Amino acid sequence: MSMTNKEIKALISLLDDPEIAPQIQGTIQNLGESIIPFLEESWEETLDPQQQQRLEDLIHNLQFDGLKQRLRVWRDTGGDSLLEGMWLLNSYQYPDADFQALNRAIEQLRFEAWTQMRPGMHPADQVQVLNYVLFRTHKLAANTQNFHSPANSMLHLVLETRRGNPLTLCVIYLLVAQRLMLPIYGVNLPNLFVLLFRPTNPNVEPFYINCYNRGLILSRTDIEHYIAQLNLTPNEVFFEPCSHLDIVRRALRNLQLSFEKMQEPAKAGEVAELLAILTDEGEPLTDNEGEE
Protein backbone atom coordinates (compact mmCIF):
# COMPACT_ATOMS: atom_id res chain seq x y z
CA MET A 1 0.00 0.00 0.00
CA SER A 2 1.61 3.23 -1.07
CA MET A 3 0.74 6.49 0.65
CA THR A 4 1.87 10.07 0.31
CA ASN A 5 3.72 11.75 3.18
CA LYS A 6 0.64 13.85 3.85
CA GLU A 7 -1.59 10.76 4.11
CA ILE A 8 0.90 9.08 6.46
CA LYS A 9 0.95 12.12 8.75
CA ALA A 10 -2.85 12.28 8.72
CA LEU A 11 -2.99 8.59 9.62
CA ILE A 12 -0.56 9.04 12.53
CA SER A 13 -2.57 11.99 13.84
CA LEU A 14 -5.56 9.65 14.24
CA LEU A 15 -3.65 7.83 16.99
CA ASP A 16 -4.75 10.67 19.27
CA ASP A 17 -8.28 9.29 19.21
CA PRO A 18 -8.48 6.39 21.71
CA GLU A 19 -11.61 5.06 19.96
CA ILE A 20 -9.90 4.26 16.67
CA ALA A 21 -6.24 4.10 17.80
CA PRO A 22 -6.17 0.25 17.95
CA GLN A 23 -7.24 -0.13 14.28
CA ILE A 24 -4.89 2.66 13.20
CA GLN A 25 -2.00 0.93 15.00
CA GLY A 26 -2.68 -2.20 12.94
CA THR A 27 -2.66 -0.22 9.69
CA ILE A 28 0.58 1.54 10.65
CA GLN A 29 2.18 -1.78 11.62
CA ASN A 30 1.45 -3.11 8.12
CA LEU A 31 3.26 -0.18 6.51
CA GLY A 32 6.59 -1.47 7.85
CA GLU A 33 9.79 0.21 8.97
CA SER A 34 9.74 2.96 6.34
CA ILE A 35 7.12 4.79 8.41
CA ILE A 36 9.38 5.02 11.50
CA PRO A 37 10.81 8.51 10.65
CA PHE A 38 7.23 9.89 10.53
CA LEU A 39 6.45 8.32 13.91
CA GLU A 40 9.65 9.79 15.37
CA GLU A 41 8.75 13.21 14.02
CA SER A 42 5.28 12.91 15.54
CA TRP A 43 6.84 11.87 18.87
CA GLU A 44 8.93 15.07 18.87
CA GLU A 45 5.86 17.19 18.13
CA THR A 46 3.48 15.79 20.75
CA LEU A 47 3.53 16.79 24.40
CA ASP A 48 1.10 14.09 25.51
CA PRO A 49 3.02 11.37 27.45
CA GLN A 50 0.43 8.70 26.59
CA GLN A 51 0.67 9.50 22.90
CA GLN A 52 4.48 9.42 23.16
CA GLN A 53 4.27 5.99 24.77
CA ARG A 54 1.95 4.76 21.99
CA LEU A 55 4.38 6.02 19.37
CA GLU A 56 7.37 4.46 21.16
CA ASP A 57 5.59 1.10 21.30
CA LEU A 58 4.73 1.30 17.62
CA ILE A 59 8.31 2.19 16.64
CA HIS A 60 9.64 -0.68 18.75
CA ASN A 61 7.17 -3.17 17.24
CA LEU A 62 8.05 -2.10 13.70
CA GLN A 63 11.77 -2.39 14.43
CA PHE A 64 11.26 -5.77 16.10
CA ASP A 65 9.28 -7.11 13.12
CA GLY A 66 12.02 -5.89 10.78
CA LEU A 67 14.69 -7.53 12.93
CA LYS A 68 12.85 -10.86 12.92
CA GLN A 69 12.62 -10.68 9.14
CA ARG A 70 16.36 -9.92 8.79
CA LEU A 71 17.24 -12.73 11.18
CA ARG A 72 15.19 -15.19 9.05
CA VAL A 73 17.03 -14.04 5.93
CA TRP A 74 20.40 -14.45 7.71
CA ARG A 75 19.43 -17.96 8.81
CA ASP A 76 18.07 -18.97 5.38
CA THR A 77 21.20 -17.77 3.60
CA GLY A 78 23.32 -20.08 5.78
CA GLY A 79 24.28 -17.73 8.62
CA ASP A 80 27.72 -17.37 7.03
CA SER A 81 28.62 -13.94 8.35
CA LEU A 82 29.18 -14.11 12.10
CA LEU A 83 29.61 -10.33 12.20
CA GLU A 84 26.19 -9.84 10.61
CA GLY A 85 24.55 -12.30 13.03
CA MET A 86 26.02 -10.53 16.06
CA TRP A 87 25.09 -7.13 14.60
CA LEU A 88 21.48 -8.30 14.22
CA LEU A 89 21.43 -9.32 17.88
CA ASN A 90 23.01 -5.95 18.69
CA SER A 91 20.24 -4.12 16.82
CA TYR A 92 17.56 -5.57 19.13
CA GLN A 93 18.52 -3.01 21.78
CA TYR A 94 20.31 -0.58 19.48
CA PRO A 95 18.37 -0.36 16.19
CA ASP A 96 20.76 2.34 14.95
CA ALA A 97 23.88 0.23 15.54
CA ASP A 98 26.09 0.74 12.49
CA PHE A 99 27.27 -2.44 10.76
CA GLN A 100 30.06 -0.61 8.92
CA ALA A 101 31.40 0.86 12.17
CA LEU A 102 31.59 -2.66 13.62
CA ASN A 103 33.29 -3.87 10.48
CA ARG A 104 35.88 -1.07 10.67
CA ALA A 105 36.63 -1.81 14.34
CA ILE A 106 37.32 -5.48 13.54
CA GLU A 107 39.36 -4.50 10.48
CA GLN A 108 41.51 -2.17 12.61
CA LEU A 109 42.26 -5.02 15.04
CA ARG A 110 43.07 -7.34 12.12
CA PHE A 111 45.48 -4.79 10.66
CA GLU A 112 47.32 -4.33 13.97
CA ALA A 113 47.70 -8.08 14.41
CA TRP A 114 48.69 -8.57 10.75
CA THR A 115 51.59 -6.10 11.05
CA GLN A 116 53.09 -8.32 13.78
CA MET A 117 52.59 -11.65 12.03
CA ARG A 118 55.55 -13.29 10.27
CA PRO A 119 55.52 -15.97 7.54
CA GLY A 120 55.92 -19.49 8.88
CA MET A 121 55.07 -18.47 12.43
CA HIS A 122 54.22 -21.29 14.86
CA PRO A 123 50.49 -21.39 15.80
CA ALA A 124 51.33 -20.71 19.47
CA ASP A 125 53.23 -17.57 18.39
CA GLN A 126 50.34 -16.46 16.18
CA VAL A 127 48.08 -16.71 19.21
CA GLN A 128 50.59 -14.71 21.27
CA VAL A 129 50.33 -11.90 18.69
CA LEU A 130 46.52 -11.93 18.84
CA ASN A 131 46.59 -12.04 22.64
CA TYR A 132 48.99 -9.10 22.75
CA VAL A 133 46.91 -6.93 20.39
CA LEU A 134 43.52 -7.74 21.93
CA PHE A 135 44.28 -8.17 25.62
CA ARG A 136 47.38 -6.01 26.14
CA THR A 137 47.15 -3.19 23.58
CA HIS A 138 43.35 -2.89 23.51
CA LYS A 139 42.80 -4.25 27.03
CA LEU A 140 39.76 -6.36 26.18
CA ALA A 141 38.74 -8.14 29.39
CA ALA A 142 36.03 -9.99 31.26
CA ASN A 143 33.25 -7.85 32.65
CA THR A 144 33.34 -9.50 36.06
CA GLN A 145 31.68 -6.57 37.86
CA ASN A 146 28.52 -6.61 35.72
CA PHE A 147 28.56 -10.19 34.54
CA HIS A 148 24.84 -10.35 33.74
CA SER A 149 24.54 -6.97 32.04
CA PRO A 150 22.83 -7.16 28.59
CA ALA A 151 25.63 -4.84 27.38
CA ASN A 152 28.02 -7.83 27.51
CA SER A 153 26.16 -9.33 24.54
CA MET A 154 26.24 -6.13 22.45
CA LEU A 155 29.25 -6.24 20.16
CA HIS A 156 29.54 -2.47 19.61
CA LEU A 157 29.44 -1.82 23.38
CA VAL A 158 32.02 -4.53 24.07
CA LEU A 159 34.33 -2.92 21.49
CA GLU A 160 33.74 0.52 23.06
CA THR A 161 33.99 -0.40 26.75
CA ARG A 162 36.55 -3.23 26.26
CA ARG A 163 34.44 -5.40 28.59
CA GLY A 164 32.43 -8.45 27.64
CA ASN A 165 31.44 -12.00 28.51
CA PRO A 166 33.35 -15.10 27.32
CA LEU A 167 31.22 -15.37 24.19
CA THR A 168 31.57 -11.79 22.92
CA LEU A 169 35.31 -11.76 23.69
CA CYS A 170 35.68 -15.00 21.71
CA VAL A 171 33.58 -13.57 18.86
CA ILE A 172 35.90 -10.56 18.50
CA TYR A 173 38.95 -12.84 18.63
CA LEU A 174 37.38 -15.21 16.10
CA LEU A 175 36.39 -12.44 13.68
CA VAL A 176 39.95 -11.08 13.71
CA ALA A 177 41.46 -14.60 13.36
CA GLN A 178 39.20 -15.44 10.40
CA ARG A 179 40.38 -12.33 8.56
CA LEU A 180 43.96 -13.42 9.17
CA MET A 181 43.07 -16.84 7.65
CA LEU A 182 43.92 -18.64 10.90
CA PRO A 183 42.20 -22.02 11.45
CA ILE A 184 40.38 -20.89 14.61
CA TYR A 185 36.81 -21.94 15.46
CA GLY A 186 34.24 -21.52 18.25
CA VAL A 187 33.60 -24.39 20.67
CA ASN A 188 30.38 -24.78 22.65
CA LEU A 189 31.51 -25.82 26.14
CA PRO A 190 28.96 -25.88 28.97
CA ASN A 191 29.05 -22.58 30.93
CA LEU A 192 32.09 -21.36 29.00
CA PHE A 193 32.74 -20.55 25.38
CA VAL A 194 36.29 -21.16 24.05
CA LEU A 195 38.10 -21.29 20.72
CA LEU A 196 39.87 -24.15 18.98
CA PHE A 197 43.08 -23.67 16.97
CA ARG A 198 43.28 -26.58 14.56
CA PRO A 199 46.67 -26.22 12.82
CA THR A 200 46.93 -27.18 9.15
CA ASN A 201 50.31 -28.77 9.98
CA PRO A 202 49.53 -32.36 11.10
CA ASN A 203 52.63 -32.33 13.36
CA VAL A 204 51.17 -29.61 15.57
CA GLU A 205 48.52 -30.66 18.10
CA PRO A 206 45.24 -28.72 18.12
CA PHE A 207 44.75 -26.57 21.22
CA TYR A 208 42.12 -24.35 22.81
CA ILE A 209 42.07 -20.64 23.67
CA ASN A 210 40.21 -19.22 26.67
CA CYS A 211 39.46 -15.56 25.85
CA TYR A 212 37.88 -15.00 29.25
CA ASN A 213 41.34 -15.58 30.69
CA ARG A 214 43.26 -13.28 28.30
CA GLY A 215 43.83 -15.95 25.66
CA LEU A 216 45.15 -18.68 27.93
CA ILE A 217 46.08 -21.78 25.90
CA LEU A 218 44.44 -25.06 26.98
CA SER A 219 45.07 -28.64 25.86
CA ARG A 220 42.44 -31.26 25.15
CA THR A 221 43.30 -32.77 28.55
CA ASP A 222 42.47 -29.43 30.21
CA ILE A 223 39.05 -29.49 28.53
CA GLU A 224 38.54 -33.12 29.65
CA HIS A 225 39.33 -32.10 33.24
CA TYR A 226 36.91 -29.17 32.99
CA ILE A 227 34.13 -31.50 31.77
CA ALA A 228 34.92 -33.96 34.59
CA GLN A 229 34.74 -31.13 37.18
CA LEU A 230 31.22 -30.36 35.98
CA ASN A 231 30.34 -34.06 36.37
CA LEU A 232 29.31 -34.23 32.73
CA THR A 233 29.68 -37.13 30.33
CA PRO A 234 32.28 -36.22 27.69
CA ASN A 235 30.68 -35.41 24.35
CA GLU A 236 32.45 -34.72 21.06
CA VAL A 237 30.47 -31.44 20.84
CA PHE A 238 32.64 -30.13 23.70
CA PHE A 239 35.81 -30.51 21.60
CA GLU A 240 34.70 -29.76 18.03
CA PRO A 241 33.99 -26.51 16.16
CA CYS A 242 30.44 -25.17 16.23
CA SER A 243 28.69 -23.13 13.52
CA HIS A 244 28.11 -19.37 13.39
CA LEU A 245 24.44 -20.14 13.86
CA ASP A 246 25.31 -21.95 17.12
CA ILE A 247 27.31 -18.92 18.28
CA VAL A 248 24.50 -16.42 17.63
CA ARG A 249 22.01 -18.80 19.25
CA ARG A 250 24.20 -18.94 22.34
CA ALA A 251 24.58 -15.15 22.36
CA LEU A 252 20.77 -14.81 22.25
CA ARG A 253 20.43 -17.28 25.12
CA ASN A 254 22.90 -15.19 27.14
CA LEU A 255 20.90 -12.04 26.36
CA GLN A 256 17.64 -13.72 27.35
CA LEU A 257 19.21 -14.79 30.65
CA SER A 258 20.53 -11.25 31.24
CA PHE A 259 17.05 -9.76 30.86
CA GLU A 260 15.59 -12.41 33.17
CA LYS A 261 18.19 -11.56 35.83
CA MET A 262 17.47 -7.83 35.35
CA GLN A 263 13.75 -8.52 35.92
CA GLU A 264 12.77 -7.53 32.38
CA PRO A 265 10.45 -10.39 31.35
CA ALA A 266 9.02 -8.58 28.30
CA LYS A 267 12.47 -8.18 26.76
CA ALA A 268 13.44 -11.74 27.72
CA GLY A 269 10.29 -12.91 25.93
CA GLU A 270 11.13 -10.99 22.77
CA VAL A 271 14.68 -12.39 22.74
CA ALA A 272 13.13 -15.87 23.09
CA GLU A 273 11.16 -15.11 19.90
CA LEU A 274 14.42 -14.23 18.12
CA LEU A 275 16.01 -17.42 19.43
CA ALA A 276 13.07 -19.47 18.14
CA ILE A 277 13.81 -18.21 14.62
CA LEU A 278 17.29 -19.74 14.83
CA THR A 279 16.19 -22.93 16.57
CA ASP A 280 14.76 -25.74 14.50
CA GLU A 281 11.29 -26.75 15.56
CA GLY A 282 11.42 -29.61 18.02
CA GLU A 283 15.16 -29.30 18.62
CA PRO A 284 15.86 -29.61 22.35
CA LEU A 285 17.66 -26.65 23.91
CA THR A 286 19.93 -28.84 25.97
CA ASP A 287 23.34 -27.43 25.23
CA ASN A 288 24.85 -24.97 27.65
CA GLU A 289 21.94 -23.30 29.32
CA GLY A 290 24.29 -21.42 31.64
CA GLU A 291 25.52 -17.98 30.70
CA GLU A 292 29.13 -17.51 29.92
Side-chain angles (χ1 to χ4, degrees), residues 209-228:
I209 305 161
N210 182 357
C211 294
Y212 207 52
N213 198 345
R214 298 168 63 111
L216 182 75
I217 287 181
L218 303 169
S219 66
R220 186 180 171 106
T221 311
D222 293 326
I223 304 292
E224 285 165 357
H225 286 161
Y226 173 78
I227 301 297

Side-chain angles (χ1 to χ4, degrees), residues 42-234:
S42 186
W43 185 92
E44 284 164 14
E45 288 166 3
T46 183
L47 298 171
D48 173 7
Q50 280 183 307
Q51 174 70 340
Q52 284 188 328
Q53 189 57 56
R54 268 197 294 271
L55 289 164
E56 281 169 28
D57 291 345
L58 263 173
I59 290 168
H60 174 73
N61 291 341
L62 285 163
Q63 286 169 335
F64 188 56
D65 284 350
L67 170 56
K68 287 195 286 193
Q69 190 50 42
R70 284 189 284 279
L71 204 56
R72 283 187 201 100
V73 170
W74 181 77
R75 173 200 69 194
D76 294 344
T77 51
D80 286 340
S81 166
L82 177 57
L83 184 61
E84 188 184 346
M86 290 301 289
W87 166 70
L88 288 170
L89 176 150
N90 207 147
S91 68
Y92 168 68
Q93 265 208 299
Y94 298 91
D96 298 333
D98 182 359
F99 180 79
Q100 289 310 328
L102 274 180
N103 194 36
R104 282 193 297 273
I106 297 295
E107 188 51 36
Q108 177 61 33
L109 294 171
R110 179 209 68 85
F111 179 75
E112 287 178 41
W114 174 77
T115 58
Q116 297 181 42
M117 292 284 181
R118 298 288 170 265
M121 235 183 188
H122 190 277
D125 296 327
Q126 292 175 325
V127 166
Q128 288 310 330
V129 167
L130 278 174
N131 288 353
Y132 186 83
V133 170
L134 296 172
F135 305 122
R136 293 281 292 280
T137 310
H138 288 274
K139 298 183 169 52
L140 282 167
N143 191 350
T144 46
Q145 285 176 312
N146 290 308
F147 191 82
H148 293 296
S149 166
N152 292 334
S153 294
M154 303 288 152
L155 207 56
H156 82 289
L157 292 182
V158 175
L159 284 161
E160 274 171 31
T161 63
R162 312 285 185 212
R163 293 290 174 276
N165 60 27
L167 186 73
T168 42
L169 295 175
C170 278
V171 163
I172 292 168
Y173 202 104
L174 183 55
L175 288 167
V176 174
Q178 285 174 346
R179 293 184 185 203
L180 292 165
M181 304 304 207
L182 298 177
I184 293 181
Y185 311 91
V187 177
N188 246 333
L189 272 182
N191 304 339
L192 180 68
F193 195 86
V194 295
L195 299 173
L196 166 66
F197 196 121
R198 188 180 265 169
T200 44
N201 179 349
N203 300 321
V204 182
E205 280 288 308
F207 57 87
Y208 298 84
I209 305 161
N210 182 357
C211 294
Y212 207 52
N213 198 345
R214 298 168 63 111
L216 182 75
I217 287 181
L218 303 169
S219 66
R220 186 180 171 106
T221 311
D222 293 326
I223 304 292
E224 285 165 357
H225 286 161
Y226 173 78
I227 301 297
Q229 275 179 329
L230 294 175
N231 294 322
L232 290 168
T233 312

Side-chain angles (χ1 to χ4, degrees), residues 26-43:
T27 309
I28 288 174
Q29 198 82 31
N30 291 336
L31 289 171
E33 288 177 290
S34 59
I35 200 171
I36 288 175
F38 296 101
L39 294 169
E40 288 173 336
E41 194 179 306
S42 186
W43 185 92

